[in-house]
Amino acid sequence: MTKPLLHHNDMSVCAAKVRSAFAEKGITCDHVPMDLRAGDSQKPEYTRLNPNQVVPTLVHGGVPVIESNVILEYIDGTWPQRALRPAAPADRARMRLWNKQLDDGLDAATGTISVCIALRHQHL
Ligand SMILES: N[C@@H](CCC(=O)N[C@@H](CS)C(=O)NCC(=O)O)C(=O)O
């Protein structure tokens, strides 16, 4: 199977989720570290992979997969060893509800705080 390629950043919790999933499964991937403050995620070649201009992006077999929760499902489906998702449909629904809360607003809210506080000095 082709080695996956992960575009990510050390500070990104969304990217950390994906790195953790690979570690849990014992899968090694190639890495493209992105310097977000230098504008790496806004470059045209990256925007073609991820039109949202954020990390992470996984490229596997030439196919880009974006959105950390979608990437986690992709990883679990592609490398089924040490399943990350619960097997029972009710438990899986509960898992998806937790992830939905992240996608529906929590990420955006924490992102705003990160940019205004943690990354302020970098933006200035
Ligand atoms: N919903 C996206 C959120 C991705 C996201 O917001 N990533 C942040 C880092 S955690 C980012 O790339 N921000 C761009 C920047 O800081 O310039 C996902 O889960 O993948």
Side-chain angles (χ1 to χ4, degrees):
M1 196 179 287
T2 340
K3 202 168 184 189
L5 176 68
L6 182 63
H7 298 255
H8 66 122
N9 174 269
D10 283 353
M11 290 279 289
S12 161
V13 285
C14 298
K17 285 157 60 178
V18 175
R19 291 195 301 270
S20 301
F22 277 130
E24 279 293 320
K25 289 181 174 286
I27 302 293
T28 54
C29 65
D30 288 327
H31 296 262
V32 181
M34 305 277 289
D35 185 344
L36 299 176
R37 296 294 68 79
D40 284 357
S41 65
Q42 283 141 39
K43 291 183 175 157
E45 60 271 26
Y46 185 74
T47 304
R48 275 193 288 278
L49 297 174
N50 187 329
N52 299 332
Q53 301 182 323
V54 292
V55 291
T57 298
L58 180 71
V59 180
H60 188 223
V63 178
V65 184
I66 64 170
E67 285 297 319
S68 57
N69 287 339
V70 175
I71 296 172
L72 293 182
E73 297 248 8
Y74 178 86
I75 290 173
D76 211 31
T78 306
W79 295 276
Q81 70 270 26
R82 293 178 62 102
L84 299 172
R85 291 171 293 189
D91 293 337
R92 204 169 272 206
R94 211 154 55 89
M95 175 211 83
R96 292 217 168 94
L97 205 53
W98 273 98
N99 280 343
K100 186 174 182 315
Q101 289 171 11
L102 301 177
D103 289 336
D104 283 354
L106 194 63
D107 275 349
T110 55
T112 303
I113 292 169
S114 298
V115 167
C116 294
I117 298 173
L119 304 177
R120 180 173 179 270
H121 65 286
Q122 295 179 359
H123 286 288
L124 290 176

